[in-house]
Amino acid sequence: MNVGIIGCGLMGQKRAKALAGAKLSVCADVLFARSEQMARSAPGAVATTDWREAVAHPDVDLVVIATAHDSLAEIVRGSIEAGRHVLVEKPAARRVSELRDLPALAEKMDVRVHVGFNHRYHRAFQQARRLVDSGEIGPLMFLRARYGHGGRVGYDKEWRAQPAISGGGELIDQGVHLIDLARWFLGDFTEIDGYAHTYFWDMPVDDNGFMLLKTAQKQVAFLHASSTEWKNMFSWELYGRNGKLQIDGLGGSYGVQRLSWFKMLPEMGPPETIIWEYPMADNSWEVEMAEFLEDIRVGHEPSAGLKDAIAALEVVENIYRESGYDHCP
């Protein structure tokens, strides 16, 4: 499988290091120096500044798209029309309207499109998924999660602070990870409430997003994404009738990733507790790519696809409307 990477910044570089056996053939970036530098890391790879050239290159079977939000959907569309499989970074677009017709187009062209919700592939979440699927946790009741960072000097001057490029602030950035993880465990949300606001940063997009989401069965996800979390943190708690799963940390500045399983006892009281720690390097990128390559091989629809991106963006848009934001460029 030959890969073309479009967008050779931080995320593109992460993807280039986690191709799971696929071959990097073409690198494209608006800054030629970046695409050239990435191409040097792979024997025979070529560099360009034109994403269309990369997509059309005869040595490309799979396109990885890691650009700013304003060009994601356009490049996905162009790649599908060229008959290429696609891995696009979340959120895949700025607005639902940019994606709405793409699932049907991908089906027509018989290509697979995976959306990079890589948090699903962290070791702790893979283990949590196995525990839930085993029935050990019992019927799921509700979920509570927080995800935040504290920004950096000049954060409010970066492209993420420009709504025409980003489509929004913290809610569409880290918030979509929380929404996707909540949907992955609880299912679709039929009631959406929330609030997005700019509390600290001098920018026209939100720095905090609060969500209260309900399924048709009244399972609740209470989520908070923040760029005013002065100590980087990740906390995720899933409650079942038989116990609770808690994930803390994502590695690096977020702390060692830890999964705790609190098992209810017949006599109630303090639960039996099992803890897994994952101090090793994050392998979610490679696990995600390996799964997608297998999806392509067998013709399987990706578990995290365009419909998941659309569902997450529908939540984001609803809350932006409720909060008085209009990030449509």
Side-chain angles (χ1 to χ4, degrees):
M1 185 68 65
N2 295 316
V3 176
I5 293 182
I6 301 173
C8 301
L10 177 63
M11 299 307 298
Q13 292 167 31
K14 284 180 180 286
R15 292 296 180 186
K17 295 174 183 176
L19 293 180
K23 178 187 175 184
L24 180 58
S25 298
V26 182
C27 309
D29 195 282
V30 291
L31 299 177
F32 183 71
R34 288 205 301 206
S35 57
E36 186 178 42
Q37 182 180 15
M38 182 179 287
R40 288 199 199 103
S41 70
V46 298
T48 180
T49 58
D50 186 350
W51 70 262
R52 293 174 180 83
E53 181 181 331
V55 167
H57 197 285
D59 287 340
V60 169
D61 307 301
L62 163 62
V63 177
V64 173
I65 307 169
T67 63
H69 297 173
D70 60 333
S71 57
L72 291 173
E74 178 188 12
I75 302 173
V76 171
R77 183 181 301 277
S79 300
I80 293 172
E81 290 174 343
R84 309 305 191 212
H85 302 292
V86 179
L87 189 156
V88 57
E89 291 298 343
K90 62 81 186 168
R94 295 167 296 181
R95 279 291 175 267
V96 171
S97 59
E98 296 177 331
L99 293 181
R100 186 68 76 185
D101 66 325
L102 293 188
L105 180 62
E107 183 177 1
K108 175 184 176 182
M109 297 300 296
D110 192 27
V111 297
R112 312 278 86 77
V113 181
H114 180 99
V115 178
F117 288 117
N118 76 296
H119 286 24
R120 294 188 183 198
Y121 300 90
H122 278 272
R123 291 179 175 92
F125 277 105
Q126 291 285 293
Q127 176 66 359
R129 183 77 257 182
R130 287 189 287 269
L131 290 170
V132 169
D133 290 345
S134 74
E136 292 272 9
I137 312 302
L140 301 180
M141 301 186 298
F142 60 91
L143 184 156
R144 178 172 59 203
R146 296 170 293 158
Y147 193 4
H149 66 90
R152 51 196 161 264
V153 174
Y155 181 72
D156 47 0
K157 302 298 186 293
E158 297 175 5
W159 68 263
R160 284 182 176 83
Q162 302 176 44
I165 299 175
S166 64
E170 183 64 7
L171 188 59
I172 201 173
D173 186 17
Q174 289 188 319
V176 292
H177 275 305
L178 293 182
I179 297 165
D180 178 68
L181 290 170
R183 284 188 65 253
W184 193 36
F185 283 91
L186 297 182
D188 288 323
F189 296 111
T190 57
E191 297 180 53
I192 300 169
D193 292 297
Y195 182 61
H197 190 68
T198 312
Y199 288 97
F200 178 84
W201 294 101
D202 183 17
M203 57 187 187
V205 297
D206 51 293
D207 57 24
N208 277 265
F210 308 88
M211 294 161 271
L212 183 64
L213 315 176
K214 300 176 188 175
T215 69
Q217 292 74 39
K218 302 305 180 184
Q219 298 160 302
V220 171
F222 177 61
L223 314 174
H224 177 206
S226 174
S227 58
T228 62
E229 186 67 56
W230 305 130
K231 170 63 179 73
N232 289 8
M233 68 93 67
F234 182 89
S235 173
W236 187 91
E237 301 164 284
L238 179 64
Y239 293 79
R241 291 186 61 85
N242 299 338
K244 167 188 170 181
L245 296 177
Q246 179 170 325
I247 295 175
D248 298 291
L250 290 172
S253 64
Y254 289 89
V256 173
Q257 188 168 83
R258 178 185 297 109
L259 169 62
S260 302
W261 177 15
F262 302 101
K263 301 172 66 174
M264 292 291 294
L265 301 175
E267 66 272 22
M268 306 291 281
E272 179 183 341
T273 303
I274 301 174
I275 297 174
W276 293 264
E277 283 198 349
Y278 304 96
M280 60 285 285
D282 175 16
N283 71 340
S284 62
W285 311 94
E286 187 148 5
V287 173
E288 181 177 32
M289 178 60 83
E291 180 184 278
F292 186 38
L293 292 175
E294 180 65 8
D295 288 338
I296 293 170
R297 188 184 72 81
V298 302
H300 188 270
E301 195 62 28
S303 63
L306 288 170
K307 293 179 181 178
D308 299 282
I310 289 170
L313 285 173
E314 284 175 339
V315 173
V316 170
E317 286 188 24
N318 187 296
I319 293 172
Y320 279 154
R321 282 194 300 269
E322 286 187 10
S323 306
Y325 282 99
D326 180 8
H327 294 316
C328 292

